[in-house]
Amino acid sequence: MARPIMFNRAFLLIVSIAHLALGLSLSSLASSTVLAISLAPLTLAAAETIDAAVAADAQDCKESGTCNSDDGNVDDTSTDASSDSQVNSEQSNELSSPSQTTGPNGDRLISHEELALHIGKGGASPSNTIWLSILGKVYDVTTGEAYYGAEKGSYRFYAGRDASPCFSTGMNNPDGAEEKLEEWEDKKLVAIYEWSTFYQDHETYKYLGLLAGGKYFDEMGNELPLRQNVVERSSETMKVMAIEKEKKKKERLAARLAKKEKNKK
């Protein structure tokens, strides 16, 4: 903006000088002296104005995208290119960055919608996997297509959802999957917990992450009271059951030994 204004001023000063030159008589030395004295300040002012305009233009061109074109418009080609580059860079970063989020312990958070997509429909493969969730933990069970496959798997109901109660009751339907574990007796919970450790320790089934926003983990991946309660009650019950089992085993062994001693007599 500075350059056009300064050049306009310089142009007006030069026109004024020309008018004065025409109006003065050049017939005598005295007149020439008067003319020189009269024109000197105006000439100096015009020169200074032109120099200032050139300096302002040079300063403007130091910054990318601020130089003016011949028609007086701002050449924003450089600015547009820079902007496009920034947009492309941001889009590239969005594509390269993982869309998944993680919980407090670094576990991947998986939505119900994502889980529901993985049922191996049309035939399981590395690109068409089968997932299931138990007590809020998601596993890739693609290698067990014979059991969980969408077409013929006997446990296909478990694929793409969390059907934890069904692992104990065998009621493989939506109503069975919605049973309230908090209302169950302790021994009934044990079967679910044992199945959860089965998937956890399996040689080929792969742990993927947490089912966020459900009964067992919240949207941020924090364990909810229901899961804590199920795990705690199941663990304690399994300990008690193990002690009882060992006790009965010893009792049976003692009974057999006593029977043998009696037969000897």
Side-chain angles (χ1 to χ4, degrees):
M1 291 295 292
R3 187 177 68 170
I5 295 173
M6 291 183 177
F7 273 113
N8 288 339
R9 292 176 179 173
F11 177 74
L12 292 175
L13 287 170
I14 293 171
V15 171
S16 299
I17 293 170
H19 285 182
L20 285 173
L22 292 174
L24 294 173
S25 173
L26 302 177
S27 60
S28 64
L29 180 61
S31 295
S32 297
T33 303
V34 172
L35 174 62
I37 294 173
S38 300
L39 295 180
L42 294 175
T43 303
L44 180 60
E48 291 176 348
T49 303
I50 292 173
D51 289 343
V54 172
D57 183 60
Q59 180 64 30
D60 287 343
C61 287
K62 290 180 180 179
E63 299 180 6
S64 176
T66 59
C67 294
N68 294 339
S69 62
D70 293 339
D71 59 0
N73 295 325
V74 175
D75 181 6
D76 57 357
T77 303
S78 177
T79 302
D80 289 343
S82 176
S83 178
D84 290 342
S85 177
Q86 182 177 0
V87 170
N88 291 335
S89 176
E90 292 175 354
Q91 292 176 343
S92 176
N93 289 337
E94 289 178 0
L95 291 175
S96 62
S97 62
S99 58
Q100 63 196 42
T101 54
T102 57
N105 297 322
D107 299 85
R108 175 183 174 185
L109 299 184
I110 300 171
S111 68
H112 289 264
E113 292 76 15
E114 183 180 9
L115 174 61
L117 295 174
H118 295 271
I119 59 174
K121 188 174 182 179
S125 68
S127 61
N128 187 32
T129 53
I130 303 174
W131 297 1
L132 65 75
S133 175
I134 181 168
L135 292 179
K137 291 194 172 184
V138 181
Y139 296 88
D140 183 333
V141 295
T142 306
T143 56
E145 181 183 11
Y147 305 104
Y148 308 105
E151 278 72 33
K152 298 181 180 180
S154 55
Y155 299 114
R156 60 183 178 274
F157 176 76
Y158 299 157
R161 59 163 53 88
D162 191 306
S164 295
C166 303
F167 285 92
S168 179
T169 65
M171 294 175 56
N172 300 333
N173 54 54
D175 289 337
E178 292 302 319
E179 286 202 21
K180 297 180 178 180
L181 299 184
E182 59 268 33
E183 298 177 357
W184 283 16
E185 61 180 19
D186 294 348
K187 287 186 178 181
K188 196 174 179 181
L189 294 173
V190 170
I192 301 175
Y193 184 74
E194 288 180 331
W195 273 107
S196 70
T197 58
F198 165 79
Y199 290 106
Q200 178 180 307
D201 300 332
H202 200 277
E203 292 182 358
T204 61
Y205 297 162
K206 180 182 177 182
Y207 170 68
L208 299 176
L210 308 177
L211 183 61
K215 299 178 181 178
Y216 309 108
F217 294 93
D218 64 17
E219 294 288 351
M220 303 300 294
N222 298 302
E223 187 178 30
L224 294 175
L226 174 59
R227 189 179 192 283
Q228 294 173 348
N229 180 265
V230 170
V231 172
E232 182 178 348
R233 289 169 58 193
S234 298
S235 299
E236 291 300 319
T237 302
M238 288 177 68
K239 291 178 182 178
V240 173
M241 291 174 63
I243 293 173
E244 291 179 351
K245 183 178 180 179
E246 186 65 24
K247 181 180 178 181
K248 289 181 179 180
K249 181 179 178 180
K250 290 180 179 180
E251 289 175 350
R252 289 194 300 269
L253 179 59
R256 285 198 298 269
L257 290 175
K259 187 176 180 179
K260 286 182 179 180
E261 288 295 328
K262 185 178 180 180
N263 290 335
K264 287 181 180 179
K265 295 178 181 179

